[in-house]
Amino acid sequence: MDIIYVLVPLSILLLTVAVAIFFWAVKGGQYDDLDSPAHKILFDDDEHLIQRKDAPTDTTDKDA
């Protein structure tokens, strides 16, 4: 029964810390834009593919 005197304040302390961290993250803008990063990852790799297609290729005959 004595463990209750330790566990209840400890759980209240942990809950307070978790709520404080959550509000700190919200205040810091962590949850401002949830959709753009998910869509942005789909289009990240297109730039280097376009540049590679536009790059000139060496068409000289090296055996000659």
Side-chain angles (χ1 to χ4, degrees), residues 30 32-44:
Q30 185 71 27
D32 283 349
D33 187 14
L34 297 176
D35 293 329
S36 292
H39 294 292
K40 187 178 177 183
I41 195 169
L42 297 174
F43 302 108
D44 266 352

Side-chain angles (χ1 to χ4, degrees), residues 34-57:
L34 297 176
D35 293 329
S36 292
H39 294 292
K40 187 178 177 183
I41 195 169
L42 297 174
F43 302 108
D44 266 352
D45 295 337
D46 291 346
E47 289 294 324
H48 75 281
L49 293 175
I50 293 170
Q51 290 173 357
R52 191 177 302 161
K53 286 181 183 177
D54 294 340
T57 57

Side-chain angles (χ1 to χ4, degrees), residues 5 27 34 60:
Y5 297 123
K27 183 181 175 186
L34 297 176
T60 58

